[in-house]
Amino acid sequence: MWIGWIEFDILLGEIHSLKEKRALIRPMVAELKRRFDVSVAEAGYQDQYRRTLIGAGLVAADRAHLVEVLDAVERFVAALPELELLSARRRELHSED
């Protein structure tokens, strides 16, 4: 069994309040869950309105599937025009590690 996750450090565009931030982040998180069947959460910078840390994770039977899904999630987030992806960090673990 493989466990993997990816964290995105994101700078948001023309956002001027936490309410505007939520209006942008909630649909993105919902779409990641729906499209890729991963667990997703805003994991940092909750009190800053132009910055966010989004984490996505999954469990897979084989590493190839894990990498495929994490790559697709990263491409999706990087392609969103309303944000700037500052960094993406990922980790993959095998259950026997």
Side-chain angles (χ1 to χ4, degrees):
M1 175 173 62
W2 285 88
I3 306 151
W5 64 92
I6 189 164
E7 295 176 331
F8 301 106
D9 189 357
I10 296 171
L11 181 64
L12 303 171
E14 293 298 316
I15 301 294
H16 302 291
S17 69
L18 290 174
K19 186 176 181 178
E20 289 179 18
K21 177 184 178 179
R22 280 192 309 274
L24 179 67
I25 296 300
R26 281 186 181 164
M28 181 182 72
V29 166
E31 183 63 15
L32 285 168
K33 289 177 180 179
R34 186 193 68 76
R35 185 177 292 202
F36 302 106
D37 198 24
V38 294
S39 296
V40 185
E42 184 179 8
Y45 304 117
Q46 281 100 345
D47 58 341
Q48 295 181 23
Y49 60 86
R50 289 209 57 227
R51 190 100 179 257
T52 189
L53 184 68
I54 301 291
L58 75 145
V59 176
D62 59 78
R63 185 177 181 275
H65 178 68
L66 181 87
V67 169
E68 178 183 329
V69 173
L70 292 179
D71 285 347
V73 168
E74 184 172 359
R75 282 191 306 272
F76 175 82
V77 172
L80 293 172
E82 60 271 9
L83 57 84
E84 179 182 347
L85 181 57
L86 300 176
S87 69
R89 294 180 306 269
R90 80 168 58 188
R91 183 77 191 258
E92 303 159 9
L93 293 173
H94 191 268
S95 59
E96 295 177 5
D97 288 347

